[in-house]
Amino acid sequence: MSFGKRKQLAEPASLTQSYARLIHNHGPISLLQYMGEANARYYTSRDPLGHAGDFITAPEISQIFGELIGLWLTDIWIRAGRPEPVHYVELGPGRGTLARDALRTMKRFDLLPKVHFVETSLALKDLQLASVPDATWHDDLSTVPTQGAILLVANEFLDALPVRQLVRMETGWRERMVGYYQDRFLPVAGNLPMDAAVPEWRREAPVGTIIETCPGAAAVMQETARRLAEQGGTALFIDYGYTEVQNGSTLQAVRAHEKVDPFEAPGEADLSSLVDFATMRAIAEDCGARWLGTIGQGKWLKALGADARARALGQMAPQHATALWVAKERLVAPDQMGELFKVMGLAGKDWPDGEAFAGPAPGVEVE
Ligand code: SAH
């Protein structure tokens, strides 16, 4: 079976051409549409991960990442009384590496969940099939079974969902749109007043202020929280983001491991934005989930024993010990991924607290 084989009868027009024509005929398009279609095109046509691709993610850096997630899920599942049936649900599983490492670890503790992948990219589904052959694929959460506890994981998923931006002009709030002038895309203010879309407490702001929201991330959070409330289970959202509400655009584009202009070559670079973890928490709690905490990835992994695991792996393969340690450091060091990346934990109301959200115990594992 192959997902990729179904596609592409003819080379599609480049997104630059389609957008240029659309904007020429109908005027500027919203940033939300620009980013949404650009990423859909980008992800479905390639494997963007790894050294040869555009960016690298935690599970591709070290197996410790997926293993410790598997361990965390096992621990909370055991303390919740080993509910069955149980589903492992991963949103945007990339190459399936995190799932493979997490599921291998869970198996050691007799946790053998059904596996559900929410993925839209044909290219990545093929790679996921090779990593986890018995998974079931879904286009979104709506078709994931509604019976049984869920153990949900999403690493660098929310940041890929399109954002809407509102900008404060002299005349009030407007949506940020994308126009096309002299063969270039560039942001422009829309014509329609958008004041009603801005919460009252944020409305008074200096001209030029930008407010960014992510409707897709909000929808995912609502559905996840409702399911946790109704079915039981837990969820880990791991992403780069901030924990206090802030203003400003965080849209960025990355290509071949370099930051590039998000308005150049849509569909050819990875577009992402920082996750607003404060809003994600508020939505999840409103929809009935319990918030277990939001903490830097480095502290969370260290509290779960990342250092000890790196050392143990190094003893098993002494020729790789240094590389294993360096890879682990990349995940946990505050000046690398350790602080910018956050882990947010959620659970059903009857589920226990999660490990590691308080960080490592003082004095433990000082390296
Ligand atoms: N979690 C993986 C991959 C992160 S890249 C890792 O850590 O390595 C983002 C992932 O989300 C890709 O698998 C991409 O195809 C998927 N994705 C992006 N937008 C999506 C959408 N709207 N629906 C489902 N999957 C999406």
Side-chain angles (χ1 to χ4, degrees):
M1 181 170 132
S2 163
F3 294 98
K5 296 239 164 64
R6 293 197 225 127
K7 63 171 182 175
Q8 284 195 1
L9 296 172
E11 249 334 275
S14 85
L15 199 55
T16 295
Q17 289 168 336
S18 320
Y19 275 164
R21 197 172 325 114
L22 184 68
I23 293 169
H24 178 77
N25 292 337
H26 301 284
I29 57 175
S30 70
L31 182 68
L32 188 78
Q33 179 181 359
Y34 176 88
M35 182 175 174
E37 286 186 33
N39 267 358
R41 177 74 66 100
Y42 173 77
Y43 277 108
T44 213
S45 58
R46 74 198 79 211
D47 168 18
L49 300 161
H51 296 290
D54 291 319
F55 61 97
I56 190 156
T57 54
E60 303 298 332
I61 292 172
S62 169
Q63 71 190 76
I64 292 175
F65 188 74
E67 289 174 347
L68 292 180
I69 287 175
L71 208 55
W72 188 93
L73 293 172
T74 306
D75 168 70
I76 194 167
W77 174 75
I78 290 175
R79 288 187 293 113
R82 300 176 185 263
E84 298 275 1
V86 60
H87 305 278
Y88 174 89
V89 181
E90 192 173 334
L91 311 182
R95 289 179 176 169
T97 310
L98 193 171
R100 202 187 49 211
D101 292 338
L103 291 165
R104 187 181 61 242
T105 305
M106 294 181 202
K107 196 172 168 194
R108 300 211 331 254
F109 300 92
D110 299 321
L111 170 51
L112 295 158
K114 295 233 165 44
V115 180
H116 301 273
F117 285 162
V118 174
E119 178 60 71
T120 44
S121 160
L122 294 172
L124 290 175
K125 277 193 217 178
D126 273 341
L127 294 173
Q128 292 158 15
L129 182 66
S131 297
V132 187
D134 53 0
T136 305
W137 279 264
H138 303 263
D139 288 337
D140 55 45
L141 269 172
S142 65
T143 48
V144 169
T146 51
Q147 297 296 316
I150 57 171
L151 308 175
L152 183 143
V153 179
N155 185 59
E156 291 211 45
F157 172 74
L158 297 176
D159 69 62
L161 302 181
V163 290
R164 158 172 287 148
Q165 291 182 353
L166 299 168
V167 55
R168 175 72 205 254
M169 308 295 286
E170 293 285 357
T171 46
W173 289 91
R174 300 294 171 89
E175 179 154 3
R176 247 183 141 205
M177 315 288 285
V178 180
Y180 191 71
Y181 300 98
Q182 296 171 344
D183 297 334
R184 286 182 60 84
F185 293 105
L186 77 169
V188 294
N191 292 330
L192 296 176
M194 293 295 286
D195 300 70
V198 179
E200 219 161 292
W201 62 273
R202 297 184 82 172
R203 243 175 247 170
E204 280 314 313
V207 168
T209 302
I210 291 173
I211 290 180
E212 191 173 79
T213 60
C214 188
V220 165
M221 211 49 57
Q222 277 181 0
E223 168 123 28
T224 302
R226 286 195 189 122
R227 281 169 173 271
L228 293 178
E230 281 161 27
Q231 294 174 238
T234 187
L236 293 171
F237 287 92
I238 306 149
D239 231 310
Y240 50 167
Y242 48 93
T243 52
E244 306 282 336
V245 172
Q246 67 176 39
N247 290 333
S249 169
T250 71
L251 178 68
Q252 66 165 36
V254 170
R255 194 172 183 179
H257 304 272
E258 300 281 341
K259 281 197 183 180
V260 294
D261 178 358
F263 298 106
E264 215 176 279
E268 301 300 323
D270 173 59
L271 295 180
S272 67
S273 65
L274 296 186
V275 173
D276 173 356
F277 280 106
T279 299
M280 295 298 113
R281 172 187 176 179
I283 294 171
E285 288 184 323
D286 266 3
C287 294
R290 213 154 69 75
W291 175 74
L292 304 178
T294 306
I295 184 176
Q297 171 177 297
K299 285 188 176 148
W300 191 80
L301 291 173
K302 271 180 164 275
L304 291 172
D307 291 340
R309 182 66 183 142
R311 224 177 280 120
L313 288 171
Q315 275 159 10
M316 283 186 258
Q319 71 280 24
H320 299 308
T322 306
L324 285 159
W325 191 264
V326 168
K328 183 271 304 172
E329 275 301 294
R330 205 165 153 191
L331 301 182
V332 303
D335 59 348
Q336 299 196 54
M337 294 175 81
E339 261 172 25
L340 181 57
F341 280 75
K342 313 274 190 295
V343 183
M344 181 176 84
L346 302 174
K349 47 189 174 313
D350 303 328
W351 275 55
D353 283 344
E355 275 300 315
F357 280 98
V364 168
E365 288 279 9
V366 180
E367 294 290 341

